[in-house]
Amino acid sequence: MAVQMELARVLIRETNDYQIIELREVDGERTFPIVIGLPEVQAIERRLHGITPKRPQTHDLMANIIEAFGGELQSITINDLCEGAFHATLDIRKPDGSLMRIDARPSDSIALGITRNVPIYVEEHVLEEAEQE
């Protein structure tokens, strides 16, 4: 079963190559950190502050493509943890009403999802595995 989470914090460390975003359980107290790259955290940060670049960035392009084909991003699901790397899906509603799940990195998924204010879910087993690590 998936647990709904929300973006709680963005930690930018200018002296490191990695950044951290933290998700928090919507109806609970658990938190969930994810290490991401600088370009992804910058995209998330821009979106949180309402900064619109003059030209579409990669995540904007992805959203535009989904919409141009008649799809709608419904949610993001972090669905696996394998060898220390998290895996996610973009859950897209197609024009015929069916749901399509596209494999994606959590950082890209969250950067895309923030622009459309879509819910973020984390599978229970992923939360449990992350707590053990």
Side-chain angles (χ1 to χ4, degrees), residues 12 14 26 42 60 62 68 74 77 91-92 98 102-103 105 107 111-112 119 122:
I12 297 176
E14 295 176 4
V26 170
Q42 288 173 332
D60 302 313
M62 290 172 55
Q74 296 285 297
T77 304
D91 308 322
I92 299 170
S98 64
I102 298 176
D103 184 36
R105 297 184 312 174
S107 56
L112 176 60
V122 178

Side-chain angles (χ1 to χ4, degrees), residues 4-68:
Q4 187 172 0
M5 309 287 280
E6 62 188 359
L7 185 60
R9 282 197 302 178
V10 177
L11 302 171
I12 297 176
R13 299 171 164 221
E14 295 176 4
T15 58
N16 292 333
D17 290 338
Y18 64 90
Q19 314 305 314
I20 298 172
I21 57 174
E22 186 177 81
L23 302 179
R24 179 181 52 233
E25 192 173 9
V26 170
D27 293 323
E29 298 181 12
R30 292 182 286 184
T31 60
F32 181 72
I34 301 174
V35 175
I36 66 174
L38 186 59
E40 293 80 19
V41 81
Q42 288 173 332
I44 291 168
E45 189 77 357
R46 275 193 305 269
R47 283 164 175 72
L48 289 174
H49 289 97
I51 299 169
T52 304
K54 293 180 181 182
R55 299 289 302 143
Q57 301 297 296
T58 304
H59 302 104
D60 302 313
L61 172 64
M62 290 172 55
N64 293 341
I65 290 170
I66 291 168
E67 290 171 4

